[in-house]
């Protein structure tokens, strides 16, 4: 009997790639050099798990030593994200800072220490949640990531969320919230209630770095976090 496993795997990979392309607005095939370059920048999945479901490991392998945007020129490490691959709760920040760029781990500086305390107050640990960012390389001077940098990196975050399949996403700060929700509404108006993005409830709240400068806003964040805790049950 002929072994059909390679063919089945190829079909699964093709289906995953087509679904990813559709989610990113591609509606047809373009095999020109320019079209193929566009597909490469979108981070089209090259492999998946045995059931056609991507894993964080295969997504990281596809990302490789990324040079898709200019941020690669000044980074020390790619900060892919880390935590429980089956987490019910995912925190998404803006991008790595100095400490994160040096270590390769997300949220390890002063803002990260505050996030760790927030997670502990939720009766959770960093090992139980997943923490990532909109962009995976540090913008110079910790400036906001630019639209073209976000567009190159966001497909990989979307794939990470699809692989994790969390119950809730907490968007930390303006850039994360506006990017995930595809709006330009101020974070002060977005926070406080759930929105939906990529089929997942998203709770925007203030970034921990903002709380370090404005500690009076911690009460607002705790209110947002309590709503997340209630949804997680």
């Amino acid at each position: 009997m002929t072994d059909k496993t390679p063919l089945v795997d190829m079909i699964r990979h093709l289906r995953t790639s087509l679904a990813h392309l559709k989610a990113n607005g591609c509606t047809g095939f373009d095999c020109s050099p320019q079209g193929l370059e566009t597909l490469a920048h979108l981070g089209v999945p090259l492999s998946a798990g045995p059931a056609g479901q991507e894993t964080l490991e295969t997504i990281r392998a596809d990302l490789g030593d990324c040079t898709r945007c200019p941020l690669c020129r000044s980074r020390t490490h790619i900060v892919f994200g880390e935590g429980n691959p089956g987490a019910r709760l995912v925190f998404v920040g803006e991008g790595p800072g100095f400490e994160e760029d040096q270590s390769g781990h997300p949220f390890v500086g002063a803002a990260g220490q505050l996030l760790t305390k927030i997670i502990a107050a939720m009766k959770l640990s960093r090992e139980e949640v997943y923490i990532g960012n909109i962009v995976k390389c540090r913008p110079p001077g910790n400036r906001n990531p630019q639209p073209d940098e976000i567009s190159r990196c966001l497909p990989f975050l979307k794939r990470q969320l699809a692989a994790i399949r969390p119950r809730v996403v907490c968007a930390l700060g303006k850039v994360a919230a506006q990017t995930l929700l595809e709006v330009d509404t101020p974070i002060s108006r977005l926070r406080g209630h759930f929105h939906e993005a990529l089929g997942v409830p998203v709770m925007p709240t203030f970034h921990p770095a903002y709380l370090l400068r404005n500690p009076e806003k911690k009460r607002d964040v705790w209110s947002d976090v309590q709503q997340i805790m209630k949804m997680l049950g």
Side-chain angles (χ1 to χ4, degrees):
M1 183 175 178
T2 304
D3 184 3
K4 298 183 179 180
T5 301
L7 177 60
V8 172
D9 286 343
M10 182 180 69
I11 293 173
R12 285 172 176 162
H13 297 169
L14 178 60
R15 182 180 61 186
T16 302
S17 297
L18 291 174
H20 179 68
L21 290 172
K22 181 179 179 181
N24 283 278
C26 293
T27 57
F29 290 97
D30 177 3
C31 295
S32 67
Q34 295 84 359
L36 294 176
E37 182 180 358
T38 298
L39 297 182
H41 283 311
L42 281 174
V44 175
L46 299 178
S47 56
Q53 176 71 29
E54 279 198 289
T55 67
L56 295 175
E57 288 78 12
T58 58
I59 298 167
R60 180 64 185 88
D62 284 350
L63 179 65
D65 187 21
C66 185
T67 58
R68 293 171 177 81
C69 85
L71 292 181
C72 68
R73 300 169 190 163
S74 58
R75 72 165 182 246
T76 303
H77 290 101
I78 292 174
V79 183
F80 180 70
E82 64 184 21
N84 184 351
R88 296 192 301 153
L89 173 60
V90 173
F91 290 93
V92 176
E94 174 182 316
F98 175 79
E99 291 86 354
E100 291 77 15
D101 177 62
Q102 294 296 305
S103 69
H105 301 289
F107 281 89
V108 294
Q113 294 171 23
L114 179 53
L115 177 60
T116 299
K117 292 179 180 179
I118 293 172
I119 294 171
M122 300 175 72
K123 308 301 182 184
L124 295 169
S125 68
R126 286 179 64 113
E127 291 73 25
E128 292 177 276
V129 303
Y130 194 88
I131 304 173
N133 284 297
I134 294 296
V135 296
K136 304 187 186 308
C137 298
R138 181 195 181 198
N142 289 355
R143 62 162 171 76
N144 288 344
Q146 298 175 353
D148 63 320
E149 296 161 353
I150 291 174
S151 69
R152 301 297 192 189
C153 216
L154 187 59
F156 288 97
L157 176 62
K158 289 181 177 180
R159 289 168 61 185
Q160 286 172 279
L161 293 175
I164 298 168
R165 302 174 70 178
R167 179 70 183 87
V168 182
V169 170
C170 180
L172 300 170
K174 177 185 73 173
V175 172
Q178 292 181 344
T179 299
L180 290 176
L181 301 179
E182 299 182 344
V183 299
D184 57 7
T185 308
I187 184 67
S188 58
R189 289 174 51 195
L190 290 173
R191 63 148 297 272
H193 55 277
F194 284 103
H195 306 257
E196 185 170 319
L198 306 174
V200 182
V202 176
M203 173 60 76
T205 195
F206 295 119
H207 194 285
Y210 177 80
L211 296 182
L212 293 175
R213 301 189 301 270
N214 301 273
E216 72 278 4
K217 296 296 185 180
K218 289 182 179 180
R219 181 175 298 180
D220 291 334
V221 172
W222 180 239
S223 174
D224 299 338
V225 162
Q226 286 180 307
Q227 292 191 58
I228 293 174
M229 294 168 65
K230 183 177 181 179
M231 177 167 284
L232 291 176

